[in-house]
Amino acid sequence: MNSERSRELFEKSKACIPGGVNSPVRAFGSVNRAPLFIERAAGSKIYDVDGNEYIDYVNSWGPCILGHGDKRVIDAVKRACDNGLTYGAPTEKEYILAKLISELIPSMEQTRLVSSGTEAVMSAIRVARGYTKRDMIIKFRGCYHGHSDGLLVKAGSGALTHSVPDSSGVPYDYTKNTLIAEYNNEESVKELFHQYGEKIAAIIVEPVAANMGVVLPKDGFLQFLRDITRKYDSLLIFDEVITGFRLGLGGAQGYYGITPDLTTLGKIIGGGMPVGAYGGKKEIMEMVAPVGSVYQAGTLSGNPIATAAGIETLTILKNTPDLYRQMEKQAEKIVYAVKERFENQVCINHIGSLICIFFTKEKVVDFDSAMASDTKRYADYFGYLLENGIYQAPSQYEAMFLSHAHTDEDIHKTCAVIKNYR
Ligand SMILES: *Cc1c(COP(=O)(O)O)cnc(C)c1O
């Protein structure tokens, strides 16, 4: 595998972009390689600047559920471009997308469009605080909710403490209202409510955690979160930036039958363009300006090009009834190949079209068990796959994303390569 040109571009980029990349995980830091610079992508394949072809299981970290450059989405974007790129005024498309979202995810009676998942979560939390008139939130260790200040936290010392910043540049004061609980651990949540119950505005959770690898909620865990937030008049926020339109048309909330108060979306909803959204009950969403007192705005929010890509993508998902089942079947084949190759040497967590292979013999159910993975072995496995034309996330702690564009041939090849890992 020749990667001369990628290396050269990486060196040049490092001179004028921090670390040569515009988002840290792209730098391949945890797999000890230089990143590939990508030239183009089509369907299930991605091509680097040295002309190498890979079957892509990153899919831009989730958005490309239809694969790359789906002609219908590209045509919708081109048509939208012909009418100008942005107006900063309301359009019919925004209405169509919001309506479509509320049809597919009924708990989102009203929706605000923004331009990233980070923005969606940041805004949803502001609304939760405005609505409940409380300051504290609970997040789970290992769940990722974008890079806003109050969410870049880690646990402080001691069992029941407030969090501390997990990034320099975040003032302690910005994180002191973020409490940290353990995913899949009801006790840890109960203790926080016991101590701070009347001050907690909301719990924010990835209903299926997909940013510490993939970790599924234990039976009853999401229902427990629903019940305890009701008991204390707090809100439940599902961060469905990954799971929305990934686990099914109704997201994780449809899949598990749990209704949150607020939901955040991103990734798939933009079909490859920068879009995020947050929404929920009308009564709560009407806290947002100009109706209510919670301020939130965006120059390019509801941008007509991004909105066109989103509408087309969701419409295709809606009109392809067997799509989720097909992707799941392909995922199961990969899971089977991994099990055949590694037997009980690894833990493989998967749901729908999301897969994660943890290099640990223990079951991965939370942050600590995820951290027990052997990241060196992952790095070796990653390098082997790459050398054999398969591109998956350059980090142990990310999901493998299947798309509807993966063909039987792609899956067959992937399985064969996995089985031949020495
Ligand atoms: C990716 C992600 C975000 C952040 O979205 P950006 O568009 O990268 O800002 C938030 N929450 C979850 C669960 C995510 O996976």
Side-chain angles (χ1 to χ4, degrees), residues 139-196:
K139 90 169 273 287
F140 293 93
R141 210 151 63 98
C143 284
Y144 177 69
H145 303 292
H147 66 90
S148 66
D149 285 326
L151 290 164
L152 286 182
V153 300
K154 59 183 174 193
S157 55
L160 259 187
T161 52
H162 300 249
S163 56
V164 296
D166 196 20
S167 160
S168 64
V170 175
Y172 171 74
D173 275 2
Y174 283 26
T175 62
K176 67 182 183 192
N177 285 310
T178 310
L179 304 168
I180 297 186
E182 295 296 330
Y183 196 78
N184 274 334
N185 180 331
E186 298 185 7
E187 259 337 286
S188 71
V189 178
K190 276 186 201 158
E191 281 175 32
L192 291 173
F193 271 99
H194 184 68
Q195 192 164 345
Y196 303 107

Side-chain angles (χ1 to χ4, degrees), residues 115-119 121 144-147 206 211 239 241-242 267:
S115 300
S116 70
T118 295
E119 228 187 311
V121 173
Y144 177 69
H145 303 292
H147 66 90
E206 286 181 77
N211 283 286
D239 181 351
V241 169
I242 284 184
K267 300 195 168 110

Side-chain angles (χ1 to χ4, degrees), residues 345-366:
Q345 299 298 302
V346 300
C347 167
I348 178 152
N349 285 353
H350 65 103
I351 180 168
S353 55
L354 292 172
I355 306 176
C356 185
I357 307 155
F358 293 95
F359 283 85
T360 170
K361 291 179 188 172
E362 307 303 319
K363 276 210 167 84
V364 176
V365 296
D366 57 14

Side-chain angles (χ1 to χ4, degrees), residues 125-145:
I125 286 175
R126 189 177 301 146
V127 171
R129 285 173 165 153
Y131 181 77
T132 57
K133 301 188 173 63
R134 300 174 179 183
D135 288 343
M136 289 181 159
I137 56 164
I138 294 178
K139 90 169 273 287
F140 293 93
R141 210 151 63 98
C143 284
Y144 177 69
H145 303 292

